[in-house]
Amino acid sequence: MKNRIPFTKLQKILVLLGTVVLAYTFLQLTMLWPDIPTKIATHFNAAGEADSFGSKGSLWFTPIIGTILCVGVFIVSLFPSIWNMPVEITPQNQDILYKKTRNMLCGMNLILAINFSYLTLQQAKGKSLGSWFLPIMLLLLFGTIAYEIVSIIYISRKIKHDKK
């Protein structure tokens, strides 16, 4: 089985968008820096309200962690042989299953980039996240994962059935 698979157009777009979002975050943070108060929110509760505060220098921590996570997920997306799949990989299904799994990873990357960007910029502006932030982000992240896993299982079963 082959280990290297090319990125599809959709996957390239998702990776590019995630990169643009993270770059935009660093650019905005740099431009907003003089206007950011010396004390900023460093933690938010489940309702999206600030419940811990720190120096504005700690603001860089959030986009840096977001970038590290996104780079990590991207690197993992390059090595299909290490992915834990919910179905057996065969020569008949490997291309489509690897494509679907990479779609999931690229989608997760974009969601993570948006998440960390929004969090950083809200902190910089001294605003709360809103009570909708956590449920929406969790729904997007786990919804993407669930959709792709169900799709992978369905495709695998269909290929197996068609083979008989």
Side-chain angles (χ1 to χ4, degrees), residues 14 52 105:
L14 292 172
S52 182
L105 292 170

Side-chain angles (χ1 to χ4, degrees), residues 7-81:
F7 280 80
T8 66
K9 188 174 185 177
L10 170 65
Q11 293 163 355
K12 289 177 184 177
I13 290 169
L14 292 172
V15 169
L16 179 63
L17 287 174
T19 303
V20 167
V21 167
L22 289 170
Y24 174 80
T25 304
F26 282 101
L27 178 65
Q28 281 295 305
L29 194 52
T30 302
M31 290 172 54
L32 292 171
W33 194 255
D35 300 323
I36 297 173
T38 56
K39 185 177 175 184
I40 56 128
T42 57
H43 190 268
F44 297 87
N45 62 22
E49 301 161 343
D51 61 4
S52 182
F53 297 87
S55 71
K56 82 178 191 179
S58 65
L59 199 52
W60 292 104
F61 183 72
T62 307
I64 289 171
I65 292 298
T67 301
I68 290 168
L69 283 172
C70 288
V71 168
V73 171
F74 177 77
I75 290 170
V76 167
S77 80
L78 298 174
F79 301 99
S81 63

Side-chain angles (χ1 to χ4, degrees), residues 87-105:
V87 295
E88 180 185 357
I89 303 296
T90 65
Q92 293 81 21
N93 70 11
Q94 83 175 15
D95 287 344
I96 188 71
L97 296 185
Y98 285 167
K99 177 183 170 191
K100 295 295 287 175
T101 304
R102 186 174 280 158
N103 285 350
M104 177 182 72
L105 292 170

Side-chain angles (χ1 to χ4, degrees), residues 14 102-112 140-141 144:
L14 292 172
R102 186 174 280 158
N103 285 350
M104 177 182 72
L105 292 170
C106 292
M108 287 172 49
N109 237 3
L110 178 57
I111 293 165
L112 287 171
L140 286 172
L141 191 60
T144 299

